[in-house]
Amino acid sequence: MANPARGETILEIGGVNHTLCLTLGALAEIEALFENGVRLDARNLVTVLAVLLRGGGSSITEAELRAAPLDPLAAASAISTCFETAL
């Protein structure tokens, strides 16, 4: 169960619920990614998702995410919700 007070949200990936959390470490990773002039595209959206999942305690990798049955709209919504609740 997600704790919105901590900026957590849930995303179902392959029938399993995973927690996303915008921790300070996750925020630093995302900032470093975009600091180098990277633009947000589908590939980098998966990277951001992986970072937020690690912030939530998941060990799922980017490669596993790319191979997972992932609903892009649900993933984008979960990322957005995670940022909204954290900030």
Side-chain angles (χ1 to χ4, degrees), residues 22-81:
L22 183 61
T23 62
L24 288 177
L27 188 57
E29 280 189 64
I30 293 166
E31 183 178 277
L33 173 71
F34 291 102
E35 189 174 83
N36 296 324
V38 173
R39 294 178 23 183
L40 185 61
D41 58 16
R43 174 175 286 276
N44 293 324
L45 193 65
V46 171
T47 302
V48 170
L49 179 58
V51 169
L52 294 174
L53 285 165
R54 280 194 301 274
S58 178
S59 61
I60 193 167
T61 66
E62 281 185 57
E64 291 170 329
L65 278 175
R66 292 184 199 292
L70 187 61
D71 177 353
L73 184 57
S77 178
I79 292 168
S80 175
T81 300

